[in-house]
Amino acid sequence: DFKAGAAWYGRLAAPKPGDFLGEPGRQWPIQLAGELKAPVIGLYAGKDAGIPLADVEAMRAALQGARKKGSEIVVYPDSQHGFHADYRPSYDAAAAADAWNRMLAHFAANGVERMFVVVCRSHCEWRHTSALSDVKVTSHSTIPAPICAAAS
């Protein structure tokens, strides 16, 4: 069972039909917020051209409306998409370090001992290091965003 999860700047709502990842029938995090079984921390960039802040705020509202205790959305107002990717021009070392530490604290607060990472190749690459043991990296091309999910 998952004890906690973290989402790094992934799409939260459907884009317009015909846009990237806009295929019909796909479910999006805002639609699924009420079904979450574990708390999640969302880490988003304020200047992300592909993820509207309105969607980020809608996800925050969806989590609150579903009474998902322990979930949190953090926005780095001066950062761009990919702020944690140290190989991209959008890399923001201060935001990346803060977000990584917040994620680890979120996991620790929820009793996570092992971390599993999913990297969506159709969206972007995500590299990392971790203080948690037993890290396993998997690629999956059908999820809407890079998602780091933790289990114990």
Side-chain angles (χ1 to χ4, degrees):
D1 290 340
F2 285 96
K3 289 187 174 182
W8 288 79
Y9 41 79
R11 274 195 188 267
L12 295 165
K16 296 175 197 165
D19 283 358
F20 179 66
L21 298 174
E23 66 271 11
R26 182 181 213 141
Q27 291 187 310
W28 294 91
I30 288 174
Q31 297 168 298
L32 301 172
E35 297 177 31
L36 289 174
K37 307 278 190 270
V40 63
I41 185 169
L43 305 157
Y44 292 90
K47 295 183 178 178
D48 192 325
I51 303 169
L53 281 177
D55 289 355
V56 175
E57 293 307 320
M59 184 64 182
R60 186 188 318 266
L63 289 168
Q64 290 171 347
R67 294 185 166 84
K68 295 301 176 179
K69 294 182 181 184
S71 291
E72 177 184 15
I73 301 288
V74 179
V75 176
Y76 295 89
D78 297 324
S79 296
Q80 298 177 31
H81 183 84
F83 67 85
H84 192 269
D86 62 0
Y87 55 93
R88 294 177 65 154
S90 59
Y91 177 63
D92 180 335
D98 183 74
W100 188 258
N101 288 329
R102 284 177 185 255
M103 181 191 72
L104 292 179
H106 175 75
F107 288 169
N110 288 288
V112 173
E113 296 173 2
R114 293 181 298 143
M115 180 171 63
F116 299 88
V117 179
V118 177
V119 180
C120 179
R121 291 193 185 278
S122 68
H123 187 64
C124 64
E125 296 288 331
W126 183 50
R127 295 183 290 168
H128 70 284
T129 58
S130 174
L132 299 173
S133 62
D134 300 327
V135 174
K136 176 183 175 185
V137 177
T138 308
S139 292
H140 194 285
S141 63
T142 62
I143 59 174
I147 296 174
C148 175
S152 68

